[in-house]
Amino acid sequence: MTTTPTPYDDAKAQLKRAQEILGFSDDDYELLATPRREITVAVPVKRDDGTKTVLRGYRIQHNWSRGPGKGGVRYSERVDMEEVRALAMLMTWKAALLNLPYGGAKGGIAFNPAEYSKAEIERITRRYVHELFPVIGPDIDIPAPDMGTDAQTMAWFMDTYSQAVGYTQPGIVTGKPVSLGGSLGRAEATSLGVYFTTRAALGHLGIEENDATVAVQGFGKVGRGAARFMDKAGMKVVAISDVFGAIYNADGIDTDALGEHVDETGKVVDFAGAEAMDPEELLLLDVDAVVPAAIEAVITKDNAADVKARVVVEGANGPTTGSGDAILNERGVMVVPDILANSGGVLVSYYEWVQSRDNFFWDLERVQKSQEAAMLAVWDEVVEFSKEHSVNLREAAVSMAVERVLDAHKMRGLFP
C-alpha cells in the first residue's frame, strides 16, 4: 500500500536534492532536516456560551544558525505537526535565500476561526502566547500573520507578550497594525513580491507584461493583491478563483471591481464582469502564467501533465507536490518556487523588525523600492546558479539557501 507524501516528506526531498547538488555529508543532512525545537501546547478556551474546549497549538523552530526564528502563525483546522514542520523548514530556506539574519520557524492552532467569535479568537490568541512565552521573543522567535491570522491577531499577540514582560515590546511580532509599529507596505508585501517574480519570469522568457495572460488561484491575502498588481501593470488576468468557485473573462478581469464585489458578497462567483468556470480547470488554462496563491498541494501528479502555462509562480506555500514538480520540469514548465515567489512577506517583516528596534520608520516608497531591489537581485542569483549547475529554479534556490545555513552552522561549530 502506497502512502501519499506529506508536506514534510516533500520538504525533506528538496533538502536531499540540495545534498546531491552540493555534496555535503549525511550527518549534515540530518542536522539540517531535524528541527531544533518542537513545541505542542494545550490552548484551553472559554466559549461565549460558557462552555470550555481545549485546542492544540504548535510552534516549531527549525533552525537558528543565522539568527532568531521567524515565521507565521496560522489558524486552520488542517494545522498539524507535519504541516508545521514543513513550513518551518521552508522558512529557514526562505530567510537564508534572502540573506536575512533569521532562522526558520512556524506555528499554528488547529481550529476553524470561522466557527469562533472575535472575542473567542482573542482569548485563544492570548492563551497561545501565554503558553509559548518561554520560547518566543524579539531575539528568540518572531511570529507573523499567516493563514487565518492578521494584523489584529498580531496586535493581541504583542499586547499579551508586552503585559508579561512589563513594557511595550513591538519587536515580538511583525505584521502588526501600522499604529502599533507595523511597517507600511507589509500587508501587501507578499502579493507585490509575487508580481515582481512573475514579471521577472515572463521577462526571462521574452514575454512582455502587456502581452501576458495570467490565471490566479485564490483571492485572499496573497492572490487578491497579486492579481491587482498584475492588472495595474498591464497583464491580462483572465481567471480568478476562491473557495466558492472561479470566474473567467478572456479580455481580462477588472480586479478593482471584483474586489468591491467580494467585499459586498464574500465570494468571486456571480461577478458581473466575468463568467463562471470550473475551479479545477483554472490551473490548466492556456495562459502565460498560472499563480496558485491559495493552499498547498494543488498541482500534483494527477494534473501536472495538463498544465499549459509556460510559468507557474508559487504564491502559496507548497502548492506543487514533489511528483507534480517533476512532471512540470520534464515538460519544460518554469516553476518559480515558493521560497522566492512569496518571500516578500518575510522580507518586509525584516524591515518592520528593524524599524521596531530602531524606532525609526520608513515611508512606503522606501519599503517597496527596497523590496523590489532585494527580490530581483535574488532572482538574478537563482537564475545564475540554475544555469551554472544545470538545475531548475527550485533546486537552485533551495541549494543556495541550504549552503548558506550549513556554512553558518560550520562557522559557529557544534556545541559540545
Side-chain angles (χ1 to χ4, degrees):
M1 178 179 176
T2 60
T3 58
T4 302
T6 68
Y8 189 47
D9 291 331
D10 281 341
K12 289 191 293 184
Q14 292 179 32
L15 176 59
K16 179 61 71 172
R17 177 59 180 140
Q19 180 189 17
E20 294 170 359
I21 294 167
L22 298 172
F24 54 82
S25 69
D26 288 342
D27 289 345
D28 286 334
Y29 169 85
E30 287 300 323
L31 183 144
L32 293 168
T34 306
R36 299 294 292 272
R37 181 184 284 156
E38 297 185 345
I39 305 106
T40 302
V41 295
V43 185
V45 58
K46 186 175 183 179
R47 302 296 299 267
D48 292 339
D49 62 6
T51 61
K52 299 182 181 74
T53 189
V54 179
L55 306 177
R56 188 173 294 273
Y58 307 93
R59 188 71 182 174
I60 292 182
Q61 296 157 351
H62 173 256
N63 189 282
W64 47 62
S65 293
R66 291 172 53 87
K70 187 78 189 79
V73 173
R74 59 175 50 186
Y75 292 171
S76 167
E77 55 194 343
R78 301 175 61 217
V79 169
D80 60 24
M81 189 66 88
E82 282 287 298
E83 178 187 59
V84 179
R85 281 194 190 105
L87 293 170
M89 183 185 289
L90 183 71
M91 284 303 304
T92 297
W93 311 145
K94 193 179 293 186
L97 181 64
L98 291 165
N99 256 325
L100 303 180
Y102 289 142
K106 206 74 174 187
I109 306 175
F111 79 110
N112 181 0
E115 297 175 355
Y116 288 72
S117 71
K118 183 176 180 180
E120 289 171 335
I121 294 172
E122 178 178 356
R123 293 197 289 272
I124 290 166
T125 300
R126 291 183 182 277
R127 185 64 189 225
Y128 178 63
V129 178
H130 174 79
E131 297 296 334
L132 291 181
F133 180 77
V135 294
I136 58 174
D139 296 305
I140 303 171
D141 181 3
I142 307 108
D146 199 276
M147 182 187 302
T149 58
D150 56 18
Q152 177 61 78
T153 318
M154 294 302 103
W156 293 328
F157 207 113
M158 186 197 90
D159 180 69
T160 309
Y161 184 88
S162 297
Q163 296 292 338
V165 297
Y167 58 90
T168 298
Q169 179 50 271
I172 176 58
V173 291
T174 59
K176 304 178 295 296
V178 173
S179 61
L180 293 179
S183 177
L184 295 172
R186 173 59 184 86
E188 64 268 33
T190 304
S191 300
L192 184 60
V194 170
Y195 160 66
F196 287 148
T197 51
T198 302
R199 184 185 70 191
L202 292 171
H204 185 75
L205 296 176
I207 303 170
E208 296 293 332
E209 277 187 309
N210 290 335
D211 297 326
T213 54
V214 185
V216 179
Q217 183 193 51
F219 202 66
K221 281 183 185 175
V222 179
R224 179 170 177 165
R228 184 175 181 277
F229 284 123
M230 293 171 187
D231 182 19
K232 297 306 175 189
M235 297 182 191
K236 191 180 293 185
V237 183
V238 300
I240 296 174
S241 68
D242 63 10
V243 295
F244 301 104
I247 57 173
Y248 177 83
N249 185 337
D251 295 323
I253 295 169
D254 182 336
T255 56
D256 282 342
L258 177 60
E260 293 176 3
H261 170 79
V262 170
D263 289 341
E264 292 174 2
T265 68
K267 57 188 74 172
V268 301
V269 294
D270 299 325
F271 174 58
E275 60 188 33
M277 68 168 292
D278 183 348
E280 293 188 5
E281 293 297 314
L282 182 143
L283 296 171
L284 313 180
L285 288 172
D286 188 6
V287 291
D288 295 308
V290 159
V291 181
I295 60 174
E296 66 271 11
V298 295
I299 299 179
T300 69
K301 61 181 177 59
D302 297 323
N303 63 359
D306 297 319
V307 172
K308 302 177 186 66
R310 297 181 64 185
V311 181
V312 172
V313 183
E314 295 187 329
N317 289 321
T320 311
T321 66
S323 55
D325 196 46
I327 294 169
L328 292 177
N329 284 300
E330 287 172 7
R331 298 179 54 237
V333 177
M334 174 182 284
V335 180
V336 184
D338 44 13
I339 66 167
L340 174 55
N342 67 27
S343 63
V346 70
L347 179 60
V348 178
S349 278
Y350 169 65
Y351 299 158
E352 179 180 333
W353 184 66
V354 169
Q355 293 171 74
S356 292
R357 294 168 75 90
D358 291 347
N359 278 318
F360 183 84
F361 297 92
W362 303 1
D363 61 34
L364 181 60
E365 182 179 11
R366 178 178 178 183
V367 171
Q368 294 188 337
K369 282 187 176 296
S370 297
Q371 179 185 350
E372 180 176 17
M375 292 192 70
L376 294 183
V378 173
W379 164 264
D380 289 340
E381 290 177 345
V382 170
V383 170
E384 182 59 33
F385 189 102
S386 172
K387 291 178 180 177
E388 182 179 344
H389 295 269
S390 299
V391 296
N392 62 49
L393 296 183
R394 188 187 310 281
E395 292 168 335
V398 174
S399 295
M400 287 171 56
V402 167
E403 189 170 38
R404 288 170 181 170
V405 175
L406 186 57
D407 181 62
H409 170 75
K410 289 186 174 180
M411 291 296 290
R412 292 180 60 158
L414 184 63
F415 188 72

